[in-house]
Amino acid sequence: MDHFTLIDGALHCEGVPLERIAREVGTPVYVYSAATLRRHAQVFREGLKPAGRVHLAYAIKANPNIGVLRVLADEGYGADVVSGGELSRALAAGMPAADVVFSGVGKTDRELVKGLEAGIGQFNLELEEEGVVLAALADARGLTAPAVLRVNPDVDAGTHAKISTGKKENKFGVPIDRAPAIFDRLASLPGIDLRGVAIHIGSQLFDLAPLEAAYRRVGELVAELRARGHKITHVDLGGGLGVPYRTHDEPPSPADYGAMVARATAGWDVELMFEPGRVIAGNAGVLLTEVIWVKPGVVNPYVIVDAAMNDLARPAMYDAWHDFSAVRPTGKTMTANIAGPVCETGDTFAMGREIDRVERGDLAIFRTAGAYGATMASTYNSRALVPEVLVDGDRYTVVADRIAAETILAAERVPDWL
């Protein structure tokens, strides 16, 4: 559930009218509900209770806004980071370094050192050479790096090709059949505490069967590593649970997921680590926009809004669906195409969709935009960088300013030789 509801005929985020935010902050603007973030964090934690000892690290890439992170830090969540910048955000938001997991296929030496010096809780190694380098960097500083080895189980998650991460042709992890030998070599190095394995097969998953199959392969690997004399205390099962982008979508619930995890990992006797992202933040945010024009079309009219592909890239990148709703619906509908002002045919959010009837000057929202929305925004076409607002009850705060095109221009230079 979320906290974007109609009150007196107009959409509100919790107790704040979206019309007020549009008037005072302008559009387009992302709006996040703190109550929804808290509820999703609590429901996910409750769903994992049957799994036993768990560690929850929010995947910062889904929504790295520091206001959002502070809400989740207060809920006891750590962080899954994939860059030095995300590590800085996690620490700035009050997430303890010991609760930070550093994932990512391309960590630089500088980022590895940053994680070591911060005292983070775990490095997820993507290749053998990364483990060798990390061990040397740690040993040179008199430190021991806690780490796990990410394996690729060659399991098709059944999701969009661009967010699938567990097939053999994907760039992530080491082939699971080569993992024991790699583990043997890395575990013998000074400067590293190789304490387990990690897996993540994809994002926006609706079917638990591929996850369960992957987890069972990991269970077999854990048994083999222990038989080879290794002490396995942690297994990172990643994230990837899907969210309902369409009203009729029915992704598995955290309770369904927790029951499967408990079944698949029975007897492992490890701390299970999870990296939820979209499932926490997705439905906690919307992109609020204004209709600029309703342009006649050959088949259907084009609803041209002031939000664009640079503000919300998912439809252009993945042909992704986001429900579109009028802020003050009349009950009437229309069939239309929805597009933004960017000079690209791909700057289209929907084609031939039945939507609330809107006119020039009306406000509307793209729902389920709290994950992979503002974090993927750009300034393409020299457009301003979209602002973000966090609502809590009947109050709101701008938690990321609109960065004007003029501000970005001021950071550029013409060479003095031109």
Side-chain angles (χ1 to χ4, degrees):
M1 65 166 291
D2 60 49
H3 290 77
F4 296 91
T5 55
L6 284 170
I7 300 175
D8 296 330
L11 276 173
H12 286 53
C13 177
E14 302 186 31
V16 178
L18 293 181
E19 291 169 326
R20 176 187 165 196
I21 294 174
R23 183 173 62 252
E24 296 176 359
V25 181
T27 58
V29 56
Y30 279 94
V31 182
Y32 308 131
S33 161
T36 306
L37 289 167
R38 292 188 186 104
R39 173 174 169 76
H40 289 178
Q42 293 160 8
V43 168
F44 191 84
R45 184 187 299 280
E46 187 69 23
L48 268 294
K49 276 190 174 180
R53 290 180 287 132
V54 303
H55 176 271
L56 303 179
Y58 168 69
I60 285 184
K61 60 182 174 288
N63 186 325
N65 183 275
I66 195 169
V68 169
L69 299 185
R70 179 61 63 85
V71 171
L72 297 175
D74 289 345
E75 289 296 323
Y77 275 62
D80 170 61
V81 307
V82 294
S83 71
E86 288 191 350
L87 173 56
S88 294
R89 284 180 173 272
L91 299 178
M95 292 170 164
D99 288 336
V100 173
V101 175
F102 203 149
S103 302
V105 73
K107 308 179 199 70
T108 65
D109 287 13
R110 181 178 296 179
E111 288 174 322
L112 293 173
V113 169
K114 184 172 182 175
L116 285 168
E117 293 180 344
I120 68 167
Q122 180 171 292
F123 293 87
N124 286 7
L125 304 177
E126 289 275 354
L127 69 163
E128 183 172 357
E129 187 178 2
E130 181 186 3
V132 173
V133 170
L134 176 63
L137 291 170
D139 191 49
R141 289 162 175 77
L143 301 172
T144 300
V148 299
L149 180 65
R150 179 170 177 176
V151 299
N152 186 322
D154 192 24
V155 171
D156 187 350
T159 188
H160 192 285
K162 291 185 179 180
I163 51 177
S164 177
T165 59
K167 294 191 288 185
K168 62 183 179 182
E169 62 266 29
N170 297 141
K171 67 180 182 180
F172 300 97
V174 302
I176 197 166
D177 59 330
R178 299 180 192 172
I182 294 173
F183 206 102
D184 287 347
R185 292 190 290 270
L186 289 180
S188 67
L189 298 175
I192 194 168
D193 173 20
L194 197 58
R195 63 188 193 177
V197 294
I199 188 172
H200 177 69
I201 66 170
S203 185
Q204 187 54 9
L205 306 182
F206 269 45
D207 185 358
L208 294 180
L211 280 172
E212 185 164 7
Y215 294 170
R216 292 199 181 281
R217 295 203 67 188
V218 169
E220 294 168 359
L221 175 61
V222 167
E224 181 176 353
L225 292 174
R226 284 175 170 159
R228 295 167 82 110
H230 297 294
K231 185 178 180 181
I232 305 300
T233 59
H234 292 72
V235 175
D236 190 331
L237 296 180
L241 277 193
V243 300
Y245 282 99
R246 306 177 190 229
T247 53
H248 62 271
D249 282 346
E250 295 185 3
S253 69
D256 295 334
Y257 177 58
M260 181 276 285
V261 169
R263 180 173 66 248
T265 65
W268 286 13
D269 189 27
V270 296
E271 181 171 325
L272 297 172
M273 309 181 76
F274 299 90
E275 299 156 7
R278 188 192 314 262
V279 72
I280 304 294
N283 284 316
V286 301
L287 177 58
L288 177 59
T289 186
E290 181 178 334
V291 177
I292 305 174
W293 306 108
V294 178
K295 178 182 178 180
V298 175
V299 179
N300 296 308
Y302 274 87
V303 173
I304 310 295
V305 297
D306 64 0
M309 63 184 288
N310 71 292
D311 304 307
L312 179 61
R314 295 188 69 257
M317 287 186 67
Y318 310 128
D319 295 319
W321 178 288
H322 288 268
D323 281 339
F324 182 82
S325 303
V327 166
R328 192 172 283 276
T330 63
K332 297 179 180 179
T333 63
M334 62 190 297
T335 300
N337 309 320
I338 309 168
V342 158
C343 195
E344 295 274 355
T345 300
D347 184 25
T348 304
F349 296 102
M351 295 294 290
R353 188 184 298 181
E354 185 175 357
I355 60 172
D356 292 331
R357 181 173 294 279
V358 290
E359 299 177 351
R360 171 173 163 81
D362 286 350
L363 296 172
I365 60 169
F366 292 100
R367 293 184 181 270
T368 319
Y372 304 102
T375 185
M376 296 173 70
S378 73
T379 58
Y380 185 46
N381 278 197
S382 292
R383 287 169 52 84
L385 199 60
V386 64
E388 300 165 79
V389 162
L390 180 66
V391 175
D392 195 355
D394 60 359
R395 58 187 176 179
Y396 80 85
T397 298
V398 177
V399 290
D401 292 335
R402 191 183 310 277
I403 301 179
E406 291 77 12
T407 301
I408 298 165
L409 178 61
E412 300 178 19
R413 301 288 184 271
V414 175
D416 57 12
W417 40 264
L418 288 179

